[in-house]
Amino acid sequence: AVEFPSPAEMAEFMEIRVGVSRIGETSITMRFEAYRARDLVHRASATLTMVCVDKESITKRPLPDFVKDALRPYLVPAA
């Protein structure tokens, strides 16, 4: 999902902030926030959910604990 609260302009420098908004049993959801760099006017928000799958069968599988542990420091509030 992507939301655009205000339009960006060409050649505008952006600051992109990325965090993990959810760590599930088989998936993670990342959150992206885009701001105009000079004054931090909010330009866009987006989420992306990625599912852990078995390489051979392409069926979902539990996220390994080491992945969950590595991502926990990057947790941010969900929108």
Side-chain angles (χ1 to χ4, degrees):
V2 180
E3 298 172 6
F4 297 97
S6 63
E9 300 172 10
M10 291 298 291
E12 188 173 82
F13 286 100
M14 304 296 291
E15 177 176 316
I16 310 297
R17 299 178 185 177
V18 181
V20 177
S21 60
R22 182 178 175 280
I23 301 172
E25 287 303 310
T26 60
S27 66
I28 64 167
T29 300
M30 297 183 69
R31 180 148 188 84
F32 302 84
E33 299 290 344
Y35 300 90
R36 183 169 56 200
R38 68 182 155 106
D39 57 6
L40 298 181
V41 169
H42 191 212
R43 294 300 199 199
S45 296
T47 58
L48 172 67
T49 299
M50 294 173 278
V51 177
C52 183
V53 297
D54 177 79
K55 188 175 177 180
E56 299 299 320
S57 65
I58 312 298
T59 56
K60 67 181 180 179
R61 57 168 278 197
L63 284 167
D65 287 337
F66 78 91
V67 172
K68 292 179 185 181
D69 293 342
L71 293 173
R72 273 192 194 93
Y74 304 100
L75 278 169
V76 296

